[in-house]
């Protein structure tokens, strides 16, 4: 499995915020991706967009409720088309399946199109240990592979890199002259990889969707590398999470409308490729073998928790990242594992273990922008709150998110808020206690640790002379009702 | 030959763990989805209604396709006559300085003497069809060297400006992908309104042919592109940088979406 650095979230976020190049790169996320998304959605009426989201959500709800049935059907149809399904309960098993297939077929070179699941599994590393040369072929993935890094965004893995950094990297690793022309850089990658495509024995792809009815793997790409990976080598292995199934080919249409618009603001990606089994006897080209590896790796824990199941509806468009005020500041790497942003903050703690990723559910202001942007209407804020609750109430010391003092303070606060008379008394005391610290209606600094943490980076608003409750009792409740 | 065995966790064990997670470990899966039980007759009547709908707005669909395709980066040409279409293809090849071209074996080229016209110009044109002289490997080399790949289109989608190509015998997956320029010839009878239309037609084919929908289907919507470096758009990464759509406007001999 990919290295887990989720415990480092706070320190990594601080480093990110202080990195001027990363800040510059992240500014493009909001203006670029999210701007394009909004523009493209505006081409259809809000009613139509809403109807698509509802339809897609219904399909996902239904499929996951009957996931066993649809996996069984998918298996039957993949087999009927001449392919072979494999099941992996965890990362080690998934990697072992691919490595064994590669070894037994004498694979020397593998070309890969973008797959977040393979990033999650740490597949490249395992294949390299098995003696296979592995080439990422999506331009962004190729860049981060050359740099020895991990993706920082679901859709644009090298988003954190400036063109100067990419030019340096290409020059160092491939010995090409430095350039500031992005088109030239893309051409360098094209030429380097074209050769590998023609030599490759194994193409590895992820899947955006799996159609149970026909046993079809569907990928959405813009560069054409996905088509090459699934056409040129003599074997194709698709590897993906078990939640990617949809029932019927007919169900694909709505996702074709939602995914590209939400991901990159396109009406449709340059290519949508449907692969059904290996090449047939008459076909001019295509792989001789087709394998599909279905991965659990913690997903059944999401499936089993009714509060978290909807995290499996995610189609990995990245819209929730692009709009998230936290992601926009700290970037993808700070999240410490493969899936960043709001969706990462929900699924990572469940997939890697709650105790490993205690900070992630708190990496949100709960503003709800992610839920609004999500094409499947996934209620991310609700799930973040649910995980916070689990962390706060956990009997397990590894998972417990708050100190005993914090817990006591929270219980005290809850008790206070539930008793109006007590609250009024506390407010009176508070007004007295704050007096030495108030400057212009704000408290810029509390000198008393641990409370000083509150004012480290922001001013605390002072308690006003009259509370809303006072104003209500004394004036507002006596106003005559307005007549329309 | 491929080992038939499944690796990793046995299917039954994996599915049992899924059922466990769903909280109904003891209940066997029931067929839950009515649409999957639709018989061929239902699909046929849906298709007939779709064809009728599209035929009623045939001209509008062509306009919509041309407009959407242009927006998605196709260079669209609407040919008024067959010789007009041929002249246009020749002009494209000339302006690009093409010396080697490959083409698929779509039957649209039987009625459109593009091949001969390009040969007359001195180009090498290779139809990608395996025979005694042309092995798979030889054809692959030819495609890798070609500067222009020409295909027909099994469907064209007005909603998205997409050309759909179904590779099979005589229709390489690589002709529309590997050469730097792709030219697709579209007949009006292959134009449909929406993505749903294409998927419905494929489902019909699937059930008609005893559950085989062919190994591959591609929706091609404009040139190959990337924005992976600083979100700056670059065309022609691994696929074609330039794509041409030649719409045979004059060809109204067959009904819209003729028997596929």
């Amino acid at each position: 499995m990919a290295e887990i650095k989720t415990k480092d979230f706070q320190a990594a976020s601080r480093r990110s915020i202080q990195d001027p190049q990363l800040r510059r790169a992240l500014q493009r996320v909001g203006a670029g991706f999210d701007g394009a998304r909004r523009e493209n959605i505006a081409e259809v009426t809000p009613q139509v967009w809403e109807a698509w989201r509802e339809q897609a959500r219904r399909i996902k709800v239904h499929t996951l409720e009957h996931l066993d049935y649809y996996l069984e059907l998918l298996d039957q149809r993949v087999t009927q088309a001449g392919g072979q399904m494999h099941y992996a309960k965890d990362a080690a098993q998934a990697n072992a399946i691919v490595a064994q297939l590669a070894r037994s077929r004498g694979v020397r070179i593998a070309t890969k199109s973008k797959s977040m699941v393979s990033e999650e599994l740490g597949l490249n590393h395992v294949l390299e240990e098995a003696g296979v040369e592995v080439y990422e072929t999506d331009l962004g993935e190729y860049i981060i592979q050359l740099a020895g890094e991990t993706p920082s965004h679901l859709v644009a893995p090298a988003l954190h890199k400036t063109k100067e950094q990419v030019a340096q990297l290409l020059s160092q690793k491939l010995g090409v002259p430095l350039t500031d022309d992005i088109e030239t850089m893309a051409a360098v990658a094209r030429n380097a990889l074209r050769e590998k495509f023609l030599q490759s024995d194994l193409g590895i792809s992820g899947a955006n969707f799996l159609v149970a009815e026909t046993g079809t793997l569907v990928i959405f790409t813009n560069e054409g590398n996905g088509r090459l990976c699934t056409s040129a080598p003599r074997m194709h292995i698709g590897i993906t999470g078990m939640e990617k199934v949809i029932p019927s080919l007919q169900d694909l249409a709505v996702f074709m409308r939602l995914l590209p618009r939400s991901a990159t603001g396109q009406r449709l990606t340059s290519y949508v490729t449907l692969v059904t089994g290996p090449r047939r006897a008459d076909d001019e080209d295509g792989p001789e073998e087709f394998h599909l590896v279905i991965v659990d790796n913690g997903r059944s824990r999401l499936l089993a928790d009714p509060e978290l199941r909807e995290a499996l509806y995610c189609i990995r468009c990245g819209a929730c990242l692009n709009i998230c005020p936290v992601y926009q500041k700290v970037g993808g790497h700070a999240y410490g594992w493969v899936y960043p942003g709001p969706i990462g903050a929900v699924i990572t703690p469940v997939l890697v273990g709650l105790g490993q990723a205690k900070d992630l559910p708190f990496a949100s202001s709960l503003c709800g922008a992610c839920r609004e942007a999500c094409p499947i209407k996934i209620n991310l804020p609700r799930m973040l709150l649910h995980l916070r609750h689990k962390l706060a109430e956990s009997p397990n010391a590894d998972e417990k998110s708050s100190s005993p003092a914090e817990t006591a303070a929270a219980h005290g606060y809850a008790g206070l808020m539930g008793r109006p008379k007590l609250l009024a008394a506390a407010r009176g005391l508070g007004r007295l206690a704050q007096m030495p610290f108030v400057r212009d209606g704000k408290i810029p600094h509390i000198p008393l640790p641990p409370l000083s943490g509150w004012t480290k980076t922001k001013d605390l608003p002072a308690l006003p002379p009259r509370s809303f409750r006072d104003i209500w009792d004394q004036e507002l409740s006596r106003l005559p009702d307005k007549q329309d | 030959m491929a080992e038939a065995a499944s690796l990793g966790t046995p299917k039954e064990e994996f599915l049992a763990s899924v059922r466990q997670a769903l909280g109904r470990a003891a209940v066997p899966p029931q067929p839950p989805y009515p649409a999957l039980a639709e018989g061929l007759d239902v699909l046929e009547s849906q298709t007939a209604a779709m064809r009728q709908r599209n035929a009623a707005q045939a001209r509008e669909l062509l306009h919509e396709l041309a407009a959407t395709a242009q927006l998605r980066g196709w260079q669209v040409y609407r040919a008024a006559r067959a010789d007009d279409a041929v002249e246009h293809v020749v002009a494209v090849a000339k302006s690009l300085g093409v010396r080697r071209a490959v083409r698929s074996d779509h039957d649209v080229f039987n009625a459109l003497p593009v091949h001969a016209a390009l040969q007359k110009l001195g180009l090498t044109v290779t139809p990608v069809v395996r025979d005694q002289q042309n092995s798979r490997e030889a054809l692959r080399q030819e495609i890798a060297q070609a500067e222009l790949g020409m295909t027909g289109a099994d469907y064209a989608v007005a909603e998205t400006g997409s050309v759909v190509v179904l590779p099979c015998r005589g229709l390489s997956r690589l002709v529309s992908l590997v050469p730097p320029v792709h030219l697709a010839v579209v007949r009006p009878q292959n134009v449909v309104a929406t993505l749903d239309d294409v998927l419905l037609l494929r489902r019909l084919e699937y059930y008609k042919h005893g559950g085989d929908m062919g190994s591959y289907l591609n929706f091609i919507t404009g040139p190959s592109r990337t924005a992976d470096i600083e979100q700056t758009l670059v065309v022609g990464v691994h696929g074609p940088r330039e794509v041409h759509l030649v719409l045979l406007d004059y060809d109204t001999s067959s009904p819209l979406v003729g028997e596929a």
Side-chain angles (χ1 to χ4, degrees):
Chain A
M1 197 145 91
E3 197 187 346
I4 300 165
K5 293 183 275 190
T6 41
K7 282 187 166 166
D8 196 32
F9 177 76
Q10 296 203 8
S13 310
R14 265 195 291 280
R15 281 197 300 276
S16 297
I17 290 167
Q18 283 156 10
D19 179 345
Q21 277 184 330
L22 180 63
R23 272 215 307 267
R24 204 151 54 87
L26 286 168
Q27 270 163 8
R28 280 189 290 269
V29 177
F33 280 140
D34 195 57
R37 181 185 70 88
R38 284 162 194 273
E39 240 170 71
N40 206 287
I41 291 171
E43 284 179 12
V44 296
T45 66
Q47 290 77 12
V48 168
W49 181 248
E50 207 46 36
W52 288 347
R53 289 172 85 200
E54 286 290 344
Q55 189 190 350
R57 192 178 166 89
R58 271 200 306 275
I59 294 168
K60 285 288 186 181
V61 170
H62 170 85
T63 317
L64 283 160
E65 259 169 32
H66 303 277
L67 188 59
D68 51 342
Y69 173 80
Y70 286 113
L71 283 172
E72 177 105 62
L73 181 64
L74 178 73
D75 189 307
Q76 184 198 325
R77 298 294 158 90
V78 165
T79 309
Q80 190 181 318
Q84 175 71 55
M85 293 257 284
H86 309 273
Y87 299 89
K89 62 180 190 312
D90 57 24
Q93 204 173 42
N95 290 336
I97 293 169
V98 180
Q100 188 177 336
L101 286 169
R103 238 191 325 263
S104 65
R105 308 301 192 277
V107 168
R108 291 162 302 118
I109 299 181
T111 42
K112 278 182 70 198
S113 75
K114 201 170 98 56
S115 150
M116 291 308 287
V117 172
S118 78
E119 293 285 347
E120 169 188 333
L121 303 172
L123 175 64
N124 290 7
H125 182 64
V126 174
L127 279 176
E128 279 159 9
E129 278 185 345
V132 180
E133 280 178 49
V134 186
Y135 294 92
E136 293 289 348
T137 61
D138 172 83
L139 180 58
E141 287 278 348
Y142 182 63
I143 290 167
I144 60 164
Q145 187 188 27
L146 285 179
E149 295 177 11
T150 54
S152 67
H153 189 281
L154 294 175
V155 174
L159 179 116
H160 57 286
K161 290 234 171 290
T162 61
K163 65 176 178 181
E164 290 78 16
Q165 291 171 325
V166 175
Q168 285 239 317
L169 186 68
L170 293 175
S171 165
Q172 270 169 22
K173 300 281 175 174
L174 303 175
V176 293
L178 276 174
T179 172
D180 65 352
D181 179 39
I182 291 175
E183 213 161 305
T184 310
M185 296 178 211
V188 166
R190 175 189 167 105
N191 293 336
L193 289 171
R194 185 48 71 88
E195 196 188 325
K196 300 300 171 197
F197 276 124
L198 297 173
Q199 298 166 350
S200 165
D201 320 285
L202 166 62
I204 299 173
S205 78
N208 294 100
F209 301 97
L210 299 168
V211 183
E213 177 183 32
T214 52
T216 301
L217 174 151
V218 188
I219 50 176
F220 289 63
T221 62
N222 273 309
E223 297 182 5
N225 61 316
R227 292 177 67 195
L228 278 165
C229 284
T230 56
S231 295
R234 60 187 154 88
M235 173 159 69
H236 172 200
I237 302 178
I239 183 157
T240 195
M242 63 184 193
E243 77 280 18
K244 296 290 173 66
V245 195
I246 54 174
S248 160
L249 198 57
Q250 204 68 70
D251 295 322
L252 186 59
V254 72
F255 291 104
M256 289 177 78
R257 295 186 176 109
L258 287 172
L259 177 55
R261 283 178 169 93
S262 301
T264 47
Q266 290 173 283
R267 192 180 286 198
L268 199 58
T269 46
S270 295
Y271 308 115
V272 178
T273 304
L274 282 68
V275 179
T276 314
R279 79 159 171 241
R280 308 297 190 262
D282 267 355
D283 288 1
E284 296 300 338
D285 37 34
E288 295 155 29
E289 282 182 62
F290 172 74
H291 297 267
L292 181 57
V293 183
I294 300 291
V295 180
D296 183 328
N297 203 31
R299 285 164 176 77
S300 47
R301 286 197 291 278
L302 288 167
L303 191 65
D305 187 338
E307 298 281 346
L308 297 175
R309 183 181 290 177
E310 66 174 312
L312 292 174
Y313 305 164
C314 174
I315 57 173
R316 304 281 188 265
C317 68
C320 64
L321 279 56
N322 301 335
I323 203 164
C324 176
V326 176
Y327 178 88
Q328 284 182 8
K329 288 287 177 283
V330 304
H333 286 153
Y335 290 82
W337 203 50
V338 186
Y339 303 106
I343 186 67
V346 170
I347 63 177
T348 302
V350 182
L351 297 186
V352 306
L354 213 50
Q356 287 277 324
K358 288 200 283 196
D359 286 327
L360 295 190
F362 294 90
S364 164
S365 65
L366 300 179
C367 68
C370 48
R371 183 188 182 191
E372 258 170 65
C374 177
I376 319 293
K377 303 177 78 165
I378 298 173
N379 195 337
L380 288 153
R382 187 189 56 72
M383 289 192 287
L384 288 168
L385 269 175
H386 172 72
L387 287 171
R388 289 182 189 188
H389 181 78
K390 270 180 101 156
L391 283 162
E393 301 289 318
S394 175
N396 182 344
D398 287 351
E399 292 179 356
K400 188 95 177 143
S401 59
S402 50
S403 66
E406 269 180 284
T407 309
H411 283 298
Y413 183 71
L416 199 60
M417 292 305 280
R419 296 178 180 78
K421 288 214 173 95
L422 206 57
L423 180 63
R427 257 202 315 264
L429 272 176
R431 261 180 231 125
L432 285 175
Q434 74 181 1
M435 273 163 70
F437 311 110
V438 175
R439 308 271 179 280
D440 298 329
K442 293 190 182 100
I443 302 172
H445 176 60
I446 305 175
L448 189 72
L451 297 178
S452 53
W454 280 94
T455 52
K456 216 157 96 187
T457 55
K458 57 184 184 283
D459 294 340
L460 192 68
L463 288 167
R466 286 204 304 164
S467 69
F468 176 77
R469 198 180 273 273
D470 297 336
I471 300 171
W472 178 264
D473 286 344
Q474 290 157 14
E475 295 161 26
L476 296 178
S477 61
R478 303 198 183 136
L479 289 178
D481 282 348
K482 279 187 197 144
Q483 303 289 320
D484 287 306
Chain B
M1 195 51 222
E3 58 208 85
S6 172
L7 308 172
T9 302
K11 179 177 87 174
E12 283 316 321
E13 188 186 327
F14 191 91
L15 293 182
S17 73
V18 170
R19 269 194 283 286
Q20 183 87 40
L22 287 169
R24 46 179 172 79
V27 187
Q30 296 293 315
Y33 202 58
L36 291 185
E38 277 162 8
L40 202 50
D41 51 333
V42 176
L43 288 174
E44 267 168 353
S45 77
Q46 284 177 359
T47 308
M50 182 266 284
R51 283 179 210 271
Q52 214 167 26
R53 206 166 50 238
N54 287 348
Q57 46 165 347
R59 296 312 296 176
E60 291 83 350
L61 283 182
L62 296 190
H63 295 315
E64 191 190 338
L65 172 67
T68 326
Q70 193 115 38
L71 276 176
R72 299 300 300 137
W74 290 96
Q75 301 188 24
V76 179
Y77 185 80
R78 300 182 68 166
R81 294 178 316 278
D83 54 355
D84 182 20
V86 174
E87 265 170 43
H88 175 71
V89 176
V90 168
V92 168
K94 251 188 183 161
S95 73
L96 293 167
V98 171
R99 284 155 301 153
R100 301 179 89 89
V102 285
R103 69 168 178 85
S104 68
D105 199 30
H106 275 107
D107 56 6
V108 68
F109 293 113
N110 298 339
L112 205 66
V114 172
H115 191 130
L118 289 176
Q119 274 183 330
K120 227 168 92 184
L121 204 66
L123 272 73
T124 314
V125 184
T126 310
V128 180
V129 186
R130 265 176 303 132
D131 50 29
Q132 282 90 344
Q133 289 125 45
N134 292 306
S135 66
R136 274 204 178 94
E137 195 43 42
L139 289 170
R140 199 157 131 148
Q141 290 305 323
E142 195 59 42
I143 297 168
Q145 285 170 24
E147 295 139 322
L148 171 67
M150 296 182 292
T151 67
D154 294 277
Y155 313 101
V157 189
E159 176 187 0
T160 52
S162 308
V163 164
V164 178
V165 185
L166 294 163
C168 56
R169 170 136 191 89
L171 301 174
S172 156
R173 302 177 180 207
L174 301 176
V175 172
S176 60
L177 177 63
V178 171
V181 182
H182 172 211
L183 184 146
V185 182
V186 176
R187 288 180 300 189
Q189 64 260 41
N190 297 106
V191 177
V192 295
T194 66
L195 295 168
D196 307 84
D197 295 350
V198 175
L199 296 171
L200 174 61
L201 286 162
R202 293 319 300 160
R203 283 188 83 201
L204 180 68
E205 287 300 300
Y206 180 80
Y207 288 107
K208 253 177 152 171
H209 293 138
D212 188 8
M213 68 170 261
S215 62
Y216 219 61
L217 183 156
N218 260 305
F219 290 83
I220 302 173
T221 312
S224 153
R225 37 166 88 82
T226 187
D228 272 352
I229 305 176
E230 295 200 348
Q231 297 195 14
T232 304
L233 182 69
V234 176
V235 292
V237 200
H238 297 296
R241 64 178 147 76
E242 194 173 312
V243 290
H244 292 263
L245 193 155
V246 180
L247 189 51
L248 304 184
D249 245 359
Y250 57 89
D251 182 352
T252 52
S253 51
S254 324
L256 209 73
V257 192
E259 295 308 315

